[in-house]
Amino acid sequence: MSYNGLLEVIAKLQVSPPFRAQLQTNAGEALATAELTPHERAQLLQLSAETLARVDAMSIFHRWMRVQEHLTWLDPYRRSHLRPLFEAYLEQCPPCLLNREDALSFCQFGEAQGSDPVLRELCQFERLRLEVAWRLRPCSPPLEVCFGYSMMGLTTWLEGNPEGWPPVSPYPVCITFIKVPMLPAVQVREQAQLERTP
Amino acid sequence: MTQLPYLGVGLSYRWHLNPDIMRARAAIDWLEVTPEHFLPLNEDTRLRLSLLAKRFPLVGHGLELSLGSPQLNEGYLSQLEGVLSHAGLVWHGDHLCLTETPHLAIRALTPLPMVEEAVTVVAQNAQRLKPRLGRPLVVENIAYAVSWPMNVLDEASFVSKTLVEADVGWLLDLHNLYANALNFGFDPYAVLARMPLDRVVQIHLAGGETLDGLYLDTHGRLTPPEVWRMLEYVAPRCAARGVNFEMDSQFPAFEVLIEELSHARTILNRYGVAHATL
């Protein structure tokens, strides 16, 4: 038995949506380059559509749960607005070691690829929040960053509404990220740019 | 394994439970910490670990050893060693599964093919790991959503053989076994009857939910009644050194978590598990 070859196929099944799709449509070609014995190849060709659908559903669900642990608003099913970005993320970004790293990776992807400027800013805000909370960047003096939309307004709405996406109007703000000592948490202070004293 | 201290009933540590855990210290005997939640080790995470270790006995529960992989991830292992030694964990557990291969990172607890070669690989990895971890290694049976067509062993044979060949303790996750029994239609008590219960060091309790016809180990619900019955079955037959409740989401009032621990403690006390020797 080529145990290592078998594990590579199992791993690819878990992480590659295109590979799963190819196994359904043309299993022989999908496995053509895998280092398998003829017996193993024959067994893998027996993978049922139901099994592949389960792997597909579980891998998406698991990856979603990992990212959502740190980005509680990320629900691509009840917030259909987020689904294209999340699906593109699954296709293009491999999973990271830590759930937090996966959340950061999603934020970076959203900042770069998001078509909606509000979502891009939300991803940036969340990335900075996580980086400060987990001391992945210097915390003193507190980080201060300006945004074109109210992040507090948006995140408060998302916390209170498990479905949908709010209409958001431009509202320039400056946000200060203050590390909470001893816990991976951040205090966020938001001030409208117009209200700021020089 | 029975030379390990009896820890009693504990809770899986989640940082946002921290204030409640500190207030309810008298009702929580120990904490299970996930090393990944403290990586990278820095001034902040070291201090948090030290404070927890001052207040509770700690046990490790990792996610990324990938015991079925042909080679261990040295980068992860060195970070893990840092957490283990800093926090003085009593023992360390991880899962009987695959989370990466030399070419691909999966980062999900993926079922291994239940074949003899997997048993051998896990046993070899365990032998390499034991001296590096510096404390007993316990291995957990996982919940799985698919059964691979190349499996030649059933779950009872695969887990038993692996525990024995690797010569490790068993982190018996009763909820995982329950979930597999529901999804694949077998009797969990018949599996338990064939398992080396003398190797049980730790027992996990948790709850799950059904999505699209599949019962998932989501850690988002309280322990279901059947899993409590499974604990009643196992308690008089093992010398577990600790039982803990795992929850990751949809937390109820903290008092409800304490009631879960109290329920487990009642069962362990009824069977004198603290003084059991096998």
Side-chain angles (χ1 to χ4, degrees):
Chain A
M1 169 174 284
S2 55
Y3 179 71
N4 296 358
L6 203 49
L7 294 192
E8 292 297 342
V9 173
I10 288 174
K12 205 168 171 186
L13 255 177
Q14 295 288 328
V15 301
S16 171
F19 180 65
R20 287 196 294 271
Q22 196 185 17
L23 266 177
Q24 298 231 37
T25 54
N26 190 346
E29 194 174 305
L31 297 174
T33 58
E35 292 176 14
L36 299 166
T37 64
H39 182 58
E40 287 163 350
R41 195 175 302 276
Q43 286 176 319
L44 284 166
L45 289 172
Q46 289 169 23
L47 277 170
S48 66
E50 186 193 3
T51 300
L52 289 170
R54 266 194 185 188
V55 173
D56 196 59
M58 289 307 300
S59 62
I60 293 169
F61 178 76
H62 182 264
R63 192 84 185 275
W64 169 32
M65 288 295 108
R66 296 189 83 204
V67 178
Q68 200 195 41
E69 181 185 318
H70 294 275
L71 305 175
T72 52
W73 45 266
L74 179 66
D75 188 332
Y77 302 97
R78 293 201 285 180
R79 303 192 202 281
S80 54
H81 183 74
L82 302 173
R83 194 178 299 175
L85 183 68
F86 185 66
E87 286 176 352
Y89 176 69
L90 291 182
E91 290 250 351
Q92 295 175 40
C93 301
C96 308
L97 178 68
L98 307 178
N99 294 0
R100 180 206 324 141
E101 290 170 340
D102 230 342
L104 284 167
S105 166
F106 176 79
C107 289
Q108 284 161 348
F109 186 77
E111 283 178 67
Q113 305 287 328
S115 55
D116 171 0
V118 179
L119 183 54
R120 278 203 304 272
E121 283 211 349
L122 178 62
C123 286
Q124 182 193 5
F125 166 79
E126 291 287 45
R127 175 177 59 78
L128 296 173
R129 179 183 65 78
L130 289 170
E131 287 175 351
V132 172
W134 292 88
R135 270 189 192 260
L136 304 175
R137 61 185 303 138
C139 304
S140 181
L143 175 69
E144 192 175 284
V145 179
C146 292
F147 294 83
Y149 302 88
S150 167
M151 290 295 113
M152 293 303 285
L154 177 57
T155 52
T156 302
W157 191 95
L158 293 171
E159 273 170 30
N161 296 274
E163 293 187 38
W165 191 262
V168 183
S169 302
Y171 184 74
V173 295
C174 275
I175 293 180
T176 310
F177 298 82
I178 304 163
K179 168 87 174 92
V180 177
M182 304 293 301
L183 285 176
V186 171
Q187 272 189 339
V188 175
R189 289 193 188 146
E190 181 178 287
Q191 199 175 13
Q193 280 188 34
L194 294 174
E195 295 167 8
R196 283 166 63 83
T197 49
Chain B
M1 292 291 180
T2 52
Q3 289 154 354
L4 287 166
Y6 178 74
L7 300 186
V9 179
L11 190 63
S12 294
Y13 178 76
R14 305 290 179 254
W15 72 265
H16 60 276
L17 298 177
N18 202 73
D20 290 316
I21 288 173
M22 293 306 160
R23 272 195 292 274
R25 271 162 65 182
I28 304 167
D29 301 330
W30 59 281
L31 294 176
E32 182 190 68
V33 294
T34 295
E36 286 82 350
H37 294 172
F38 295 86
L39 296 179
L41 261 189
N42 55 31
E43 184 191 350
D44 206 45
T45 49
R46 280 197 181 88
L47 196 54
R48 286 170 50 215
L49 269 174
S50 299
L51 285 173
L52 287 177
K54 271 188 194 166
R55 288 166 172 77
F56 296 96
L58 301 181
V59 161
H61 185 56
L63 303 166
E64 292 291 343
L65 272 178
S66 197
L67 288 166
S69 292
Q71 60 194 62
L72 296 167
N73 181 332
E74 276 301 319
Y76 170 72
L77 197 47
S78 62
Q79 292 192 81
L80 176 64
E81 285 173 309
V83 173
L84 297 187
S85 59
H86 185 77
L89 305 179
V90 184
W91 64 78
H92 182 65
D94 209 308
H95 304 80
L96 180 54
C97 71
L98 179 75
T99 61
E100 66 179 8
T101 69
H103 301 105
L104 278 175
I106 309 171
R107 307 303 173 217
L109 308 178
T110 303
L112 290 164
M114 294 191 200
V115 297
E116 295 287 350
E117 197 160 356
V119 173
T120 305
V121 167
V122 174
Q124 287 168 348
N125 282 335
Q127 293 313 315
R128 288 188 204 113
L129 280 167
K130 284 182 204 174
R132 293 190 62 175
L133 299 180
R135 63 214 71 229
L137 172 66
V138 300
V139 174
E140 176 182 342
N141 55 296
I142 66 163
Y144 47 86
V146 293
S147 176
W148 301 124
M150 53 288 221
N151 288 351
V152 294
L153 301 168
D154 63 11
E155 182 168 356
S157 304
F158 180 64
V159 177
S160 298
K161 282 187 120 182
T162 306
L163 294 171
V164 171
E165 281 200 30
D167 192 21
V168 291
W170 186 14
L171 197 180
L172 166 55
D173 191 310
L174 287 174
H175 188 255
N176 285 347
L177 181 58
Y178 169 70
N180 294 343
L182 276 184
N183 290 330
F184 294 95
F186 61 77
D187 174 5
Y189 298 93
V191 170
L192 285 169
R194 292 170 53 206
M195 300 297 286
L197 294 178
D198 58 325
R199 287 190 176 267
V200 174
V201 170
Q202 183 184 345
I203 295 174
H204 269 172
L205 301 170
E209 52 209 290
T210 302
L211 291 174
D212 293 334
L214 195 65
Y215 184 79
L216 300 178
D217 175 48
T218 58
H219 297 180
R221 294 284 189 274
L222 298 177
T223 309
E226 192 58 48
V227 173
W228 286 119
R229 281 191 281 277
M230 289 164 71
L231 181 62
E232 294 268 6
Y233 174 89
V234 168
R237 294 171 171 83
C238 75
R241 305 290 80 193
V243 174
N244 67 297
F245 179 64
E246 288 186 295
M247 197 160 204
D248 291 330
S249 61
Q250 302 176 75
F251 289 89
F254 195 72
E255 294 70 31
V256 177
L257 298 187
I258 297 300
E259 282 168 24
E260 290 280 284
L261 304 194
S262 174
H263 189 171
R265 190 174 288 111
T266 301
I267 294 173
L268 297 185
N269 289 345
R270 185 182 307 144
Y271 296 104
V273 176
H275 308 291
T277 52
L278 293 173

